[in-house]
Amino acid sequence: MPEQKRYTDSGIEIKPVYNKDSVPGDELPGEFPFTRGIQPDMYRGKLWTMRQYAGFSTAEESNKRYHYLLSQGVNGLSVAFDLPTQIGYDSDHAMAEGEVGKVGVAIDSIDDMETLFKGIRLEDVSTSMTINATGFILLALYVAVAKKQNADLKKITGTIQNDILKEYAARGTYIYPPKTSMRIITDIFEWCSHELPKWNTISISGYHIREAGSTAVQEIAFTLSNGKAYVKAALEKGLDINVFGKRLSFFFNAHNNLFEEVAKFRAARRMWAKMMKELGATDQKAMMLRFHTQTGGSTLTAQQPLNNIPRVTIQTLAAVLGGTQSLHTNGYDEALSLPTEEAARIALRTQQVAAYESGIADTADPLGGSYFIESLTSEVETKAWELIHKIDAMGGSVAAIEEGFIQNEIAHSAYEHQRLVESGEKIIVGVNKFQSKEEETIPILKVDDSIRQLQTEKLRALRSKRNPAKCDNILQQLNDKAHGGDNLMPIVIEAVENYCTLGEIADTLREVFGEYK
């Protein structure tokens, strides 16, 4: 009986064996095109940043979780915001009802932002913020809090996701039309290059593309295409690719197919280096693909949730063997609710065991030279370039999104994955095989609906203490500058420092730019 063929999740056939003929020429870590990593010694010099994603309920509650995580060995914070904050509504807006504090922390004003980081010196911690449509407002709030702490803005480090293109393609938390959103993003690039030089101005995200159902190949192809669109927009604005290129970062997903995931990360580095060189970068640092990884939320199951611990472990190995710069590991309970403190601790310990006990951090690119990995890296790259060339032929990512091409490709892959699970061709342990009847009692973190009332009272107090005429004047200036094409960052920082709310700033720009439907 002939042996059945095997494939990765992206449809690449896996040969029974690989030999030296499968492997391209020798490359070294820290050298162009960085397939084997961006530092010559990788984790021997410095471990990846253990950056646990957290944020729920109020700024007070999230602040407690940040202090707990920092006490447990986390060395980078990562902030999750609730849906109203993500789409530019204050907590007391009708559209915010039922969503305040649910999937992240509610941030309406500088008072909330100050509370969120109470007792944390922003000069001493690197903060990542998963925020897109309102990314410029949250960055302004962070800068305003840093200034109140008398921090040196030249030393402030962190990242805003700020990747709006994947919102149109996969996630949906956009406000303004694509071209307007690109203008805001390049304003951030420009302002940060002068005022906040160590800040990563964008985290070009494949994570949500993968969560929406893409394959590994589609994840890097669509993400790098979006990256190319941002670079071209910045070049059109007259910015220097060797300056802003160093502050671009990426955000990828880690799934369970260990070897394909490692190959994906290696291929992405090689492709980005080539892409940036073609776009005119001459500084090696501007060609390096630096990325954060989060383990795959969509791989977590509500059935037998403790099975998610080994899943997250495999995904952790994939991210580290693939050369990530920072990592968030999901809690085993996240298919049920926001992670409890216990689940968050086990997730962090998974990274720490990998870092200090497994030996995988002892050498750069430990799988480099494996016939299988090298061949798979090249095959992932070839398939990803095919997709990128299709997108280029349409006029780039913005055009491909407007035509629905990227969305349709993701939807087709998501459908195919679900079909394989339902037919039993793809096994998900505890879901379509090895089910058990025992009921597991997993503690769940619940966010109370009273959070909205608390936030509404805070907003009332804020509006009563501020100077309303000054706020009106600043919001009018914001309107004028939006019409006039000025860089928006300075006036947005002035607005938040004078107690204008996130919703008021977003609404002022809604009046100018309109909303994308």
Side-chain angles (χ1 to χ4, degrees), residues 216-229:
V217 164
Q218 288 171 333
E219 180 188 352
I220 60 167
F222 298 154
T223 306
L224 297 185
S225 267
N226 288 349
K228 190 178 191 177

Side-chain angles (χ1 to χ4, degrees), residues 228 241 272-281 287 385 389:
K228 190 178 191 177
I241 194 168
W272 185 246
K274 292 175 184 174
M275 207 180 256
M276 286 296 273
K277 195 172 187 177
E278 275 175 30
L279 288 163
M287 301 177 206
W385 279 126
H389 295 326

